[in-house]
């Protein structure tokens, strides 16, 4: 793929940028004030090797739907392979205006209400069910597990609270559940943003621009990942007033309690290393979130929350060094053996 992915027609799957076994399809929605709107569903369906995704002993078909974070897209080939080895079908969603769903006329990542993503997630769920029934037969009973990273963890948690029938469980990788610092700071920033966001939701919010998280990920710097230069830029997408207010409103909802009834696994790094300049310590710590602040909020998600701290983990635990990320996968396996057996 070039700078932007090509649209598919309804029902069509095309080879994906990740190579063998990966395909994508476009989810089309109604136009907005910028033009056509779409999200992109990616599936992993290897021809052979590594295990077999199948039905459970009670005839259910288990699948995982993965959701990326801010200024991000799905690039974790190892994650798809991991779930395939567990006998689970794997799908990932690039939300509207992110990754494979970016188009030249769109404002990257822009949204004014996180409920807009309900259409993306609901449509993805329906497409997954249709896809697996076509593969395995109409009698297949599809059980969907949600998995999400960072801002995607906030989006998926709020969606799960509004649509409790969607996911059988949630696995959250460094979910962003609270603003930096404290609730009073969030309230103050929200009060200042509200009139600006109403007047001009696309107004840029001037914040320090840093590249240290990109540096920790990209093979072009200190990381080990091949990142698409447009879909995962060196500097994050510009922050706009309407988007930031939507995030703050989401944090406020979490702070009041979401009462999610399904089991939740929340994985965080053991520590944060925040700053405006890159330092080597950021390769073994969360350089994006204040972990302690978010840990105080995570139990607001529901009554069945398991928290695991990963030593030397970066913000995206599954993009950390190989031994660290395999430790995160081991934690997911242990939890899944109890809750997803």
């Amino acid at each position: 793929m070039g700078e932007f992915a090509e649209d598919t027609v309804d029902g069509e799957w095309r080879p994906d940028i990740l190579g063998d076994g990966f395909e994508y399809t476009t989810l089309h929605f109604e136009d907005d004030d910028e033009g056509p709107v779409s999200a992109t569903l990616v599936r992993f369906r290897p021809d052979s090797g590594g295990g077999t995704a199948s039905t459970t002993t009670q005839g259910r078909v288990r699948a995982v739907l993965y959701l990326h974070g801010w200024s991000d897209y799905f690039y974790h080939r190892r994650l798809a392979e991991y779930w395939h080895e567990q006998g689970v079908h794997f799908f990932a969603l690039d939300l509207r205006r992110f990754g494979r769903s970016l188009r030249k006329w769109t404002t990257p990542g822009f949204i004014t209400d996180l409920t807009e993503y309900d259409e993306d997630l609901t449509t993805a769920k329906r497409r997954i069910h249709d896809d697996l029934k076509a593969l395995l037969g109409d009698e297949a009973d599809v059980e969907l597990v949600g998995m999400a990273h960072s801002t995607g963890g906030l989006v998926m948690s709020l969606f799960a609270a509004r649509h409790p029938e969607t996911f059988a469980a949630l696995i959250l990788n460094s979910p962003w559940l609270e603003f930096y610092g404290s609730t009073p700071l969030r309230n103050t920033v929200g009060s200042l943003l509200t009139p600006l966001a109403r007047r001009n939701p696309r107004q840029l919010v001037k914040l320090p621009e840093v590249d240290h998280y990109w540096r920790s990920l990209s093979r072009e710097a200190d990381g080990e990942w091949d990142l698409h230069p447009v879909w995962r830029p060196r500097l994050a997408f510009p922050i706009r007033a309407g988007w930031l207010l939507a995030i703050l409103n989401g944090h406020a909802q979490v702070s009041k309690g979401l009462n999610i009834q399904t089991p939740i696994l929340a994985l965080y790094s053991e520590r944060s290393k925040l700053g405006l300049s890159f330092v080597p310590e950021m390769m073994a710590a969360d350089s994006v979130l204040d972990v302690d602040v978010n840990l105080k909020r995570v139990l607001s998600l529901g009554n069945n929350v398991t928290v695991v701290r990963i030593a030397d983990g970066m913000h995206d635990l599954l993009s950390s060094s190989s031994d660290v990320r395999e430790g995160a996968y081991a934690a997911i396996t242990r939890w899944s053996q109890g809750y997803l057996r």
Side-chain angles (χ1 to χ4, degrees):
M1 295 181 187
E3 186 173 356
F4 302 107
E6 296 182 358
D7 280 353
T8 69
V9 298
D10 287 342
E12 177 190 13
W13 292 87
R14 292 188 182 181
D16 185 69
I17 191 173
L18 291 179
D20 291 346
F22 290 91
E23 299 173 304
Y24 78 95
T25 189
T26 307
L27 311 179
H28 299 275
F29 309 123
E30 292 186 7
D31 294 3
D32 66 3
D33 60 344
E34 290 188 325
V37 179
S38 63
T40 309
L41 187 64
V42 179
R43 72 182 181 188
F44 181 54
R45 191 161 292 169
D47 293 331
S48 62
T52 56
S54 62
T55 60
T56 69
T57 56
Q58 295 181 347
R60 295 190 186 95
V61 179
R62 183 163 291 139
V64 162
L65 174 61
Y66 174 84
L67 196 59
H68 57 82
W70 171 245
S71 298
D72 211 348
Y73 69 102
F74 171 66
Y75 60 86
H76 286 290
R77 184 180 184 94
R78 168 64 182 133
L79 178 59
E81 293 170 343
Y82 165 81
W83 283 114
H84 186 70
E85 291 163 3
Q86 310 305 310
V88 177
H89 297 269
F90 181 84
F91 297 82
L93 180 65
D94 282 5
L95 294 167
R96 58 185 66 191
R97 307 183 188 92
F98 285 97
R100 298 164 181 80
S101 309
L102 271 173
R103 298 294 182 266
K104 61 181 179 181
W105 57 82
T106 59
T107 302
F110 180 71
I111 204 165
T112 58
D113 190 326
L114 296 181
T115 61
E116 291 183 43
Y117 293 134
D118 285 16
E119 186 174 27
D120 303 42
L121 286 160
T122 300
T123 305
K125 172 193 172 183
R126 184 170 60 248
R127 190 64 59 87
I128 290 168
H129 281 241
D130 291 345
D131 184 62
L132 292 179
K133 286 179 181 294
L135 177 68
L136 301 170
D138 289 339
E139 69 281 359
D141 179 15
V142 181
E143 181 180 79
L144 193 60
V145 174
M147 186 173 188
H149 170 57
S150 193
T151 308
L154 173 65
V155 171
M156 185 169 279
S157 296
L158 293 168
F159 177 85
R162 291 191 297 269
H163 304 275
E165 75 289 349
T166 301
F167 298 116
L170 296 179
I171 300 172
L172 306 178
N173 170 9
S174 301
W176 186 23
L177 303 177
E178 181 57 279
F179 196 61
Y180 302 96
S182 65
T183 299
L185 177 60
R186 165 167 47 81
N187 292 337
T188 299
V189 174
S191 297
L192 295 173
L193 269 178
T194 298
L196 175 61
R198 288 175 177 171
R199 184 170 63 251
N200 181 11
R202 289 187 174 85
Q203 175 66 48
L204 290 173
V205 178
K206 292 185 178 180
L207 296 172
E209 293 186 322
V210 295
D211 70 350
H212 49 258
Y213 183 51
W214 177 89
R215 285 187 59 174
S216 71
L217 294 175
S218 176
R219 194 186 302 275
E220 297 180 26
D222 298 275
E224 58 180 282
W225 302 92
D226 295 314
L227 302 178
H228 194 289
V230 176
W231 303 354
R232 171 69 259 189
R234 182 164 190 154
L235 299 177
F237 296 153
I239 302 299
R240 301 182 186 274
W243 175 85
L244 184 54
L245 185 59
I247 294 295
L248 296 178
N249 289 338
H251 289 162
Q253 292 176 57
V254 172
S255 72
K256 297 175 183 176
L258 297 186
N259 195 33
I260 297 172
Q261 297 299 305
T262 55
I264 300 170
L265 172 63
L267 301 136
Y268 283 102
S269 175
E270 278 195 339
R271 62 191 180 97
S272 295
K273 181 61 179 178
L274 306 177
L276 298 180
S277 300
F278 178 82
V279 293
E281 290 84 353
M282 290 177 173
M283 297 297 297
D286 192 321
S287 63
V288 177
L289 298 185
D290 185 326
V291 171
D292 291 336
V293 167
N294 282 271
L295 282 170
K296 292 177 181 178
R297 191 62 70 206
V298 71
L299 296 182
S300 300
L301 295 179
N303 294 326
N304 190 352
V305 180
T306 303
V307 178
V308 177
R309 308 284 295 275
I310 303 296
D312 298 328
M314 297 197 305
H315 177 52
D316 185 352
L317 297 163
L318 301 182
S319 293
S320 302
S321 61
S322 59
D323 57 334
V324 173
R325 65 176 178 262
E326 290 308 316
Y329 282 118
I332 294 171
T333 300
R334 288 193 299 271
W335 182 84
S336 299
Q337 287 174 348
Y339 287 101
L340 299 181
R341 180 177 296 176

